[in-house]
Amino acid sequence: MNQINPPKGTHDIYDLEGVANQYIETIFSSLCGFYGFSYAQTPIFEHTELFERGVGDSSDIVRKEMYTFKDKGDRFITLRPEGTAGIMRAIVSNKLYANTDLPLKYFYSGEVFRYERPQQGRFREFHQLGVEEVGVNSIYNDIEVILLGYSILQTLGLKDVKLKINSLGDKQSRDNYRAALKDFFADKIDDMCEDCHDRYNTNPLRILDCKVEHDQEIVRHAPIMRNYLTEKAETDFVETLEVLNAFGIPYEVDNNLVRGLDYYSGVVFEFHYTSKTGQNYGAIGAGGHYDHLVEEIGGPALEGIGFAFGLERLYAVMRDDSLLEGIDEGLDFYVMSVGTKSFTDAFSLLTSLRASGFKCESSFDGKGFKQLFKRANRKKAKFAIIIGDDEVDKEVVTIKNMLTEEQFMVPYAQVIDKADELIDELEAHSHHHE
Ligand code: AMP
């Protein structure tokens, strides 16, 4: 029969990428924990209307990229194209704002779906790791979230992160700016792309995001948001930047950063990183402050701030920069049994070792020592435990240090104690060298 291929824009994750993703998620969730965020999960599909209202009618995501279908009950359902709207809906549906101190702080992780043209670093099914902090409107909440994102990247080893930041101000600021853009583009829009025509009517800020080269040339001369901020919005932005300075977080104010989603207001930001291979994956993470999002989906007037990282992009830059080499720690023990007589002993030893908290493996396909040592090396085992027919008769095992090749015999009954001792020694040794 002919082979079934994966759908366009999807990818399977295994081996190094699998290990890397688990590692990234562990760092991500542990830092979120340190910052007082707790884990939340929301459905992968929601009513289409949630995203139309939450992400916004004028965004590319809603206009072109959603996986929407009618279910058997004739409801319009959409596979989530991002994580924020779902978390906001959960906050409203469960009235989470009523029972707890504000701000609410949640982190999430999971698949998102966008019908985009697949290319380097761009998938139709991908994964986002994100956080939302909702309910308190102080610049310190914004800064806390930016700092969290920055520390996660630092902890992953991505030292030269470029933080691009801008402010979209409050509603008044954006109304002023929108009017200025309409003025500016009025006599130019006829020369611009079809999409920009729509954007001109629905949300002229979107024009700044246009990827068409000819249009970008025009956009270069457009008025900038910063000059239309109200006094309050400008003061907040300046203060935010001052605190970032004080914490030594390098940033670059990017006047054209408007972000692709409709709900943003106030500070918006993107984390950029160019790997040593020079491959530009675009933003590896992005976020911003939102003011009317919770209201937009039927909740109270609560502001918030959040960001999301793209897991595929984090993996790609870490791989390109050789930051993944040490993360697969390998096995503590590889148990080798040669000759079927030793299979039973080997298997019960394996079970006791695992029960005592050691990572170990064995194989039962009757291969010889040479093959087994190769396997142990590929699995990065620290020690091999050898049980041959000879060892079974004498009720001992041979233990070999895979690095130093030193080997010695241990009575079968004492293997677990010895295992403790060996691993403790190795750990003490490696801490000594840190
Ligand atoms: P956004 O929700 O568009 O702000 O995107 C947040 C992050 O998700 C981006 O910075 C990327 O790292 C990642 N991302 C967005 N779109 C894709 C895609 N099509 N494929 C892979 N990663 C993506």
Side-chain angles (χ1 to χ4, degrees), residues 61 81-83 112 114 116-117 119 121-128 259-261 263-264 270-271 281-287 307-314:
I61 294 182
E82 53 94 64
V112 295
R114 293 182 196 172
E116 294 190 83
R117 203 160 54 78
Q119 47 185 292
R122 192 173 292 286
F123 299 90
R124 287 181 173 172
E125 186 207 36
F126 58 103
H127 298 76
Q128 287 190 338
R259 308 283 305 117
L261 293 79
Y263 49 61
Y264 289 115
E270 287 181 352
F271 294 109
Y281 293 97
I284 52 178
F307 69 73
F309 289 125
L311 183 58
E312 282 74 6
R313 295 196 191 167
L314 289 178

Side-chain angles (χ1 to χ4, degrees), residues 328-337 345-364 372 375-376 378-387 399 402 412 415-416 419-420 423:
D328 182 4
E329 287 170 358
L331 299 174
D332 296 319
F333 298 98
Y334 194 90
V335 178
M336 298 177 178
S337 60
D345 282 0
F347 198 78
S348 62
L349 181 58
L350 198 60
T351 310
S352 328
L353 282 166
R354 286 173 179 159
S356 307
F358 297 109
K359 274 207 257 180
C360 50
E361 239 192 81
S362 186
S363 41
F364 299 95
L372 293 179
R375 284 184 193 167
R378 279 196 291 269
K379 297 274 180 179
K380 298 190 187 147
K382 299 179 179 77
F383 297 93
I385 300 183
I386 302 144
I387 313 183
I399 299 184
M402 296 292 289
Y412 189 85
V415 179
I416 299 292
D420 268 326
I423 297 297

